[in-house]
Amino acid sequence: MDSTVWREPLLRLGGWGLLAATLTALAYLIAREATVPAIVKNPAALPKSSPTSQSAYSISALHRRLPPAALTEVQRYLDFFTTKQRRRVEDGLARSGRYLDAYRQIFRSEGIPEELVYLPMIESGFMENAVSPAKAVGVWQFIEETGALYNLRHDDWSDHRRDPLGSARAAAKLLNHLYETFGDWDLALAAYNSGAGTVKWAVKVNAKARESTQFWRLSLPEETRNYVPAFIAMVLIAKNPSAFGFNDIQFHKKIVFDQIKVSPGVSLTLLGESLGVDVDQLFELNPELIRGEIPPGTQPYSLRVPVGMRERVLARMAGSRSAAGDYFVYHVKDADTLQELASQFPNRFANIQRLNQIKDDGDLLNKRFLIIPL
């Protein structure tokens, strides 16, 4: 991750950008009265996790593992998020409803704390098209180099950093790797923000001086020092919004979809119009397709489509709702003939003819798409 990833751009993120951009200036925005923060003074005021919880972010765990000064910083962010940035937090929480269930499943499968699913609240406000000044992209704010390490391809046709689900899987693997590197979630989060090299150097300096190598004792960039307590505060809010006065969050509906395979080069607009499907939904479900087309290549592309569309494809293109097993949607080109299809799909040609009800080249020319069984 780039060290400026968490600073969201005003140009693309609008109001939410102001939240992250002002985190480094928080010390100037919050009064520094010498009072004992509520989270330190009265932890019972906040909801506790289950007694069996091993979470690093339950109230009891925070009191057990964080020094008082750290709890003070967390409390400052709680105050900040519930007052000056209240509306932006509400908006981010509302957008989170689209992905949280899917993200929890991904993070459980990776064996890392589920609370990390709230990291986009700090990174992007759960905005799919977020772009930072350092060109970090998407809900999880990957720069191109880091994204490439986790199979988030970026070329002229697609940018898989914009895929909210694929990038979540990449983020889970990256966070797991950082935890394995540092053995501590605060350090892992710091490395997600500033890069592992920055954190390793700070740890090395403290170790050489025989000082604590806890995150809270390291000399790190200011934005990284703010990043971890801000995240902890956001987790506490996101896990129980009503405890912090967020009582009317209108959570977006969770993302649901079918998937179909589509041949390279197909326009989403053409596909949607041919199937009678809202084209905007196709773009919304596949934000990684930056040109609105299936990328060129030799293999069909797994495209997210609205629930029920898989059957609709069979009904409209093949005249049947019966299960055809796995298949892909093939875009018929002007130069296609039955002879060429027979040569291209020799073992499936009879099934292609039957499924698509084509007997001659005239039938083929009347088709925009074919169902090709796999």
Side-chain angles (χ1 to χ4, degrees):
M1 278 296 160
D2 159 75
S3 63
T4 59
V5 162
W6 66 283
R7 293 181 176 177
E8 304 305 336
L10 300 179
L11 178 62
R12 295 297 300 275
L13 296 185
W16 185 267
L18 186 60
L19 168 58
T22 55
L23 290 184
T24 55
L26 183 64
Y28 302 100
L29 297 175
I30 299 178
R32 292 180 173 272
E33 292 92 347
T35 57
V36 180
I39 193 173
V40 177
K41 181 171 60 178
N42 185 19
L46 297 176
K48 289 183 171 60
S49 299
S50 163
T52 59
S53 173
Q54 300 300 312
S55 168
Y57 301 101
S58 68
I59 295 297
S60 58
L62 292 175
H63 275 267
R64 192 166 54 246
R65 72 184 183 83
L66 298 186
L71 293 170
T72 299
E73 291 302 309
V74 171
Q75 182 61 45
R76 285 177 176 155
Y77 276 102
L78 287 173
D79 295 340
F80 183 53
F81 291 146
T82 55
T83 55
K84 294 180 183 293
Q85 297 297 328
R86 184 176 192 83
R87 179 58 185 273
R88 294 183 181 98
V89 172
E90 287 177 346
D91 291 345
L93 288 173
R95 287 188 291 268
S96 75
R98 185 165 168 81
Y99 298 115
L100 285 181
D101 283 353
Y103 287 0
R104 288 189 184 103
Q105 184 176 352
I106 290 169
F107 279 48
R108 279 197 297 268
S109 68
E110 196 64 32
I112 60 179
E114 288 184 31
E115 288 91 342
L116 297 176
V117 301
Y118 297 115
L119 197 57
M121 285 293 294
I122 301 297
E123 289 286 338
S124 65
F126 282 91
M127 295 177 112
E128 297 91 340
N129 293 321
V131 180
S132 82
K135 306 303 181 185
V137 168
V139 170
W140 291 91
Q141 289 288 278
F142 276 89
I143 60 171
E144 188 160 357
E145 292 82 356
T146 307
L149 294 175
Y150 290 89
N151 297 316
L152 299 178
R153 301 184 309 280
H154 177 208
D155 54 34
D156 291 340
W157 296 85
S158 63
D159 187 349
H160 288 265
R161 297 174 298 167
R162 297 179 184 272
D163 175 355
L165 300 179
S167 63
R169 286 186 283 271
K173 291 183 181 299
L174 172 56
L175 286 163
N176 198 2
H177 169 72
L178 292 172
Y179 180 75
E180 290 175 351
T181 300
F182 294 103
D184 176 274
W185 279 114
D186 294 335
L187 294 177
L189 286 169
Y192 190 92
N193 171 249
S194 65
T198 298
V199 177
K200 285 179 179 178
W201 178 257
V203 168
K204 182 178 179 179
V205 168
N206 275 32
K208 187 176 181 179
R210 297 187 179 181
E211 296 179 2
S212 172
T213 56
Q214 275 191 321
F215 163 80
W216 308 96
R217 301 293 183 85
L218 299 181
S219 178
L220 290 164
E222 184 179 9
E223 62 188 50
T224 305
R225 293 200 307 272
N226 287 330
Y227 185 87
V228 174
F231 170 71
I232 292 173
M234 194 64 80
V235 167
L236 295 175
I237 293 171
K239 287 177 70 174
N240 197 333
S242 62
F244 296 89
F246 294 94
N247 297 311
D248 300 310
I249 304 297
Q250 302 298 311
F251 289 99
H252 294 192
K253 291 182 179 180
K254 68 178 180 180
I255 186 172
V256 291
F257 53 87
D258 287 341
Q259 284 185 291
I260 61 173
K261 294 183 175 68
V262 182
S263 63
V266 174
S267 159
L268 297 189
T269 299
L270 177 62
L271 182 64
E273 290 174 350
S274 297
L275 294 173
V277 172
D278 184 354
V279 175
D280 288 341
Q281 283 189 284
L282 294 182
F283 280 87
E284 183 179 332
L285 288 169
N286 301 277
E288 73 278 9
L289 299 180
I290 54 181
R291 292 179 60 169
E293 296 181 22
I294 306 301
T298 59
Q299 298 299 318
Y301 187 91
S302 290
L303 186 74
R304 297 190 186 104
V305 294
V307 171
M309 187 174 169
R310 183 177 175 84
E311 286 190 354
R312 192 181 308 177
V313 168
L314 294 175
R316 291 189 66 139
M317 294 185 181
S320 171
R321 290 184 178 272
S322 61
D326 201 9
Y327 66 86
F328 76 92
V329 177
Y330 175 83
H331 185 210
V332 178
K333 297 179 284 294
D334 291 341
D336 280 338
T337 64
L338 289 186
Q339 184 177 357
E340 288 172 347
L341 287 178
S343 174
Q344 188 174 354
F345 305 106
N347 298 325
R348 289 171 276 176
F349 183 64
N351 285 337
I352 292 171
Q353 282 190 292
R354 176 185 56 78
L355 194 59
N356 294 279
Q357 302 174 31
I358 49 176
K359 297 179 180 179
D360 53 36
D361 287 344
D363 290 338
L364 180 61
L365 289 174
N366 289 326
K367 299 279 187 177
R368 272 182 144 177
F369 295 98
L370 298 178
I371 299 297
I372 307 293
L374 292 173

